């Protein structure tokens, strides 16, 4: 610095000498001309005139020794001194700049004489100090390098700082860039932490100048190489070819296999001859395995692979000793509405239809009999090795209950069963497993009028029944419940015969009359015209009176009664009695023919004067 101040002093001294000599000489030589040409303005402003030649020399000297210190300009400077806290930087300006060592933390080996890039923040602050910034200069230069790398496709080095949501933060030229998780590698990354604190190569793929965002990719660098490998592998693909691959991804529908740059799919149905619920039961991520090429499209962009095809089909290995009628054990693997699939050997399944699970003709869901995972025993009913189909039966393990049905359930025998189901026309009652009978709705009760069986009983109720009919060939059993008791209508036919009189109370008024209850079984109907009382009024609900049975039908359980017939019959009887009495009196008062003759004879004698 002292050397620079000495140089500046010499320049100023030279300038002063150069300026001072011509002025004195001119004033002494020609005072009048000097006064006439004297620049009083410069004199008043304190500006001394300088010769143009000397001014040019001065400007040349300044340009050679000092830089043009414009604000926000990045220039190169030299470290001339390092203290405990700061570094003194010479940029060939009138004064040196000071920069905190904090801005050089990335470079612990900084020493005197090193060239560094700095940004001129302020040419001269309030204290006359030149304000510089190395950090800002690095950012500006870094953005220039990033933009250039993006435009030219240049590969840059970056330091992976940390994880973030969806990817990693990478330091590129001192600027933080975002590395998406999908751009780290061509295969899915499960452990992001393995890349933290590593220096890797990247390609700048996107820059958002408005928000100062940078996106980099490592995947883009290896895709080109993989593409070449992919073309080479695809060109050699053939159906039936066996290749080694690595499990790249596992989904619910299959497994993606990396064949060395080319991905293929092993569908879940091609993983194992046995049924599986999820591919992870067979394979795991990063597992190496051999697969066979089953098919691919014309472009060979979609490759279908198989794993189970590498082994012999289980049906081909099924022993010849297995035949129809054999008992086999297996595990329930799938349950459907129509039955259950049983795996009797690995990859060999048989179907137990729901109708083959129980001797009962009342079919239920397969879930009522078995559950997935159950170990069961069954009998082979059919076996088709060519079509690889097998049907099994469970009920065949027990005797058919219909074989001795005639001795167990003869017609007329009484039993107790359980209500299993309703229909509009009756009730199905189970007498034992495999033996169901039907009670028609008309055979449920002697006295009640039932519209639907649910009005009479519930599913699960126990009912006493009598066997009415038995069809062994058709496996049909007709039952009756009302037949377990005597028909009360046989007794009621006498008790409520025509013209019998009973006392009852009007229970309900209906459209065309009213109903009365003689007992819990018999509800009689009274037409409106038969509700009329002797005084002309009609009976009302709750009113008690005498009724005469005017209709009784045992078959249809119909009873009709009348109150009016009670007093009208008495009236008719009185009328008839009065009529008979009147006739008798009239008969007594009426003269006979003999009486008339006697009267006429007496009148004649009187006229003849005999009396």
């Amino acid at each position: 610095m002292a050397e620079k101040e000495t140089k500046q002093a010499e320049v100023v001294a030279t300038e002063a000498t150069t300026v001072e000599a011509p002025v004195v000489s001119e004033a002494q030589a020609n005072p009048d001309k000097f006064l006439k040409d004297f620049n009083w303005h410069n004199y008043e402003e304190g500006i001394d005139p300088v010769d143009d030649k000397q001014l040019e020399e001065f400007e040349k000297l300044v340009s050679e020794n000092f830089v043009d210190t414009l604000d926000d300009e990045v220039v190169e400077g030299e470290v001339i001194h390092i203290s405990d806290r700061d570094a003194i930087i010479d940029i060939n300006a009138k004064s040196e700049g000071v920069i905190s060592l904090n801005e050089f933390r990335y470079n612990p080996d900084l020493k005197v004489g090193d060239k560094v890039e700095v940004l001129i923040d302020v040419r001269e602050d309030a204290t006359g100090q030149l304000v510089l910034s190395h950090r800002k200069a690095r950012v500006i230069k870094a953005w220039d390098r990033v933009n250039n790398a993006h435009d030219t496709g240049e590969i840059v080095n970056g330091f992976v700082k940390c994880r973030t949501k969806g990817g990693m933060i990478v330091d590129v030229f001192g600027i933080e860039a975002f590395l998406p998780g999908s751009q780290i590698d061509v295969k899915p990354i499960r452990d992001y932490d393995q890349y933290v604190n590593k220096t890797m190569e990247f390609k700048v793929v996107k820059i958002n100048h408005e928000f100062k965002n940078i996106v980099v990719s490592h995947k883009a660098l290896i895709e080109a190489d993989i593409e070449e490998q992919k073309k080479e592998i695809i060109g050699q693909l053939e159906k039936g070819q066996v290749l080694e691959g690595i499990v790249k991804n596992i989904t619910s529908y299959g497994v993606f296999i990396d064949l060395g740059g080319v991905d293929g799919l092993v569908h879940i149905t091609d993983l194992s001859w046995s049924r599986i619920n999820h591919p992870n039961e067979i394979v795991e991520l990063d597992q190496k395995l051999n697969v066979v090429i089953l098919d691919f499209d014309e472009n060979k962009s979609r490759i279908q692979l198989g794993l189970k095809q590498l082994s012999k089909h289980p049906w081909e290995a099924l022993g010849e000793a297995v035949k129809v009628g054999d008992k086999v054990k297996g595990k329930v693997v799938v349950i459907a509405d129509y039955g259950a699939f049983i795996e009797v050997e690995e990859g060999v399944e048989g179907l137990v239809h729901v109708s083959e699970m129980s001797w009962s003709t009342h079919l239920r869901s397969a879930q009522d009999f078995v559950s997935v995972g159950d170990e069961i025993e069954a009998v082979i009913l059919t076996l088709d090795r060519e079509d690889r189909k097998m049907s099994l039966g469970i009920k065949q393990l027990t005797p058919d209950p219909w074989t001795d049905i005639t001795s167990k359930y003869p017609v007329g025998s009484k039993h107790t069963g359980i209500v299993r189901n309703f229909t509009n026309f009756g009730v199905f009652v189970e007498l034992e497993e495999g033996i169901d009978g039907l009670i028609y709705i008309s055979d449920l009760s002697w006295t009640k009028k039932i519209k639907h069986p649910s009005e009479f009983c519930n599913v699960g109720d126990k009912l006493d029944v009598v066997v009415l009919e038995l069809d062994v060939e058709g496996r049909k059993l007709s039952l009756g419940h009302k037949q377990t008791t005597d028909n009360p209508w046989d007794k009621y036919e006498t008790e409520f015969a025509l013209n019998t009189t009973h006392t009852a109370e009007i229970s309900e008024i209906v459209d065309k009359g009213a109903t009365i209850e003689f007992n819990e079984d018999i509800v009689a109907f009274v037409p409106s015209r038969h509700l009329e009382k002797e005084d002309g009024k009609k009976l009302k609900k709750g009113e008690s009176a005498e009724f005469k049975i005017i209709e009784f039908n045992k078959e249809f359980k119909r009873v009709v009664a009348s109150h009016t017939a009670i007093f009208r019959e008495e009236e008719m009887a009185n009328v008839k009695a009065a009529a008979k009495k009147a006739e008798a009196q009239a008969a007594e008062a009426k003269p006979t023919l003999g009486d008339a003759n006697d009267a006429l004879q007496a009148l004649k004698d009187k006229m003849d004067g005999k009396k």
Side-chain angles (χ1 to χ4, degrees), residues 242-254:
V242 177
L243 298 174
E244 184 183 60
I246 299 175
V247 177
K248 180 178 180 181
N249 193 20
I250 299 176
T251 67
S252 59
Y253 55 86

Side-chain angles (χ1 to χ4, degrees), residues 126-361:
T127 62
Q129 179 67 52
L130 178 64
V131 180
L132 303 176
S133 173
H134 177 61
R135 181 181 59 80
K136 292 182 179 179
R138 287 187 68 212
V139 171
I140 292 175
K141 286 296 184 180
W143 271 103
D144 291 341
R145 294 177 67 183
V146 167
N147 285 324
N148 182 64
H150 178 259
D151 295 338
T152 61
E154 177 188 353
I155 298 174
V156 299
N157 288 327
F159 178 75
V160 182
K161 296 176 66 176
C162 62
R163 285 187 58 178
T164 187
K165 185 178 180 181
M168 317 286 288
I169 298 297
V170 180
D171 186 317
V172 179
F173 304 138
I175 302 175
E176 288 189 348
F178 177 60
L179 172 63
S182 61
Q183 294 298 315
I184 297 176
D185 204 340
V186 291
K187 59 183 180 181
I189 302 300
R190 290 175 290 279
D191 182 15
Y192 283 43
D193 292 331
Q194 63 180 313
Y195 296 97
V196 177
N197 296 327
K198 285 188 177 181
T199 299
M200 302 169 61
E201 290 185 336
F202 300 98
K203 185 176 181 180
V204 180
V205 294
K206 185 178 180 181
I207 297 177
N208 188 320
H209 294 282
E210 181 180 356
F211 297 102
K212 298 294 183 183
N213 291 336
I214 303 171
V215 179
V216 295
S217 171
H218 179 68
K219 175 182 175 181
L221 300 179
I222 56 178
E223 279 182 333
D225 295 337
I226 290 178
E227 191 63 31
E228 292 298 324
Q229 295 178 14
K230 185 176 180 180
K231 289 180 180 178
E232 183 179 349
I233 293 173
I234 287 177
Q236 300 174 355
L237 290 182
E238 293 180 4
K239 292 182 181 179
Q241 186 177 7
V242 177
L243 298 174
E244 184 183 60
I246 299 175
V247 177
K248 180 178 180 181
N249 193 20
I250 299 176
T251 67
S252 59
Y253 55 86
V255 179
F256 287 94
I257 307 294
D258 183 358
L259 301 175
V262 180
D263 290 347
L265 173 65
V266 182
H267 195 268
I268 188 172
T269 56
D270 291 317
L271 283 171
S272 172
W273 292 113
S274 302
R275 290 179 185 263
I276 58 174
N277 296 318
H278 197 277
N280 57 21
E281 298 175 17
I282 304 296
V283 298
E284 58 185 20
L285 289 171
D286 299 326
Q287 178 182 347
K288 286 186 178 181
L289 43 79
N290 290 329
V291 290
V292 61
I293 298 176
L294 302 180
D295 200 1
F296 47 77
D297 59 11
E298 294 181 359
N299 299 326
K300 297 183 179 178
S301 58
R302 294 184 179 181
I303 304 173
Q304 182 182 349
L305 305 174
L307 181 63
K308 71 179 184 181
Q309 287 78 6
L310 294 174
S311 60
K312 194 175 182 181
H313 197 290
W315 270 90
E316 298 174 5
L318 189 65
E320 293 294 332
V322 179
K323 59 185 183 301
V324 173
D326 287 352
K327 292 181 181 179
V328 292
K329 291 184 179 180
K331 183 173 69 173
V332 179
V333 290
V334 175
I335 294 179
D337 292 337
Y338 51 85
F341 287 91
I342 314 299
E343 186 178 52
V344 295
E345 291 186 18
E346 185 178 355
V348 178
E349 295 178 2
L351 172 65
V352 181
H353 193 270
V354 67
S355 62
E356 301 297 338
M357 292 184 175
S358 170
W359 289 109
S360 175
T361 55

Side-chain angles (χ1 to χ4, degrees), residues 448-474:
K448 293 181 180 179
K449 293 181 179 179
I450 302 170
K451 295 181 179 178
H452 192 273
S454 59
E455 299 173 9
F456 184 79
C457 57
N458 298 313
V459 173
D461 287 354
K462 289 185 176 181
L463 284 182
D464 291 331
V465 294
V466 172
V467 178
L468 303 181
E469 293 180 17
L470 178 59
D471 181 359
V472 178
E473 291 184 4

Side-chain angles (χ1 to χ4, degrees), residues 407-453:
S407 59
K408 271 187 175 182
Y409 303 100
V411 175
S413 59
K414 292 184 178 181
H415 308 276
T416 300
I418 300 174
V419 177
R420 290 301 185 191
N421 194 18
F422 292 141
T423 66
N424 290 329
F425 52 83
V427 180
F428 282 100
V429 176
E430 184 182 61
L431 299 180
E432 65 173 82
E433 180 71 25
I435 303 294
D436 289 346
L438 174 65
I439 304 176
Y440 282 99
I441 196 168
S442 58
D443 289 320
L444 286 173
S445 174
W446 290 113
T447 56
K448 293 181 180 179
K449 293 181 179 179
I450 302 170
K451 295 181 179 178
H452 192 273

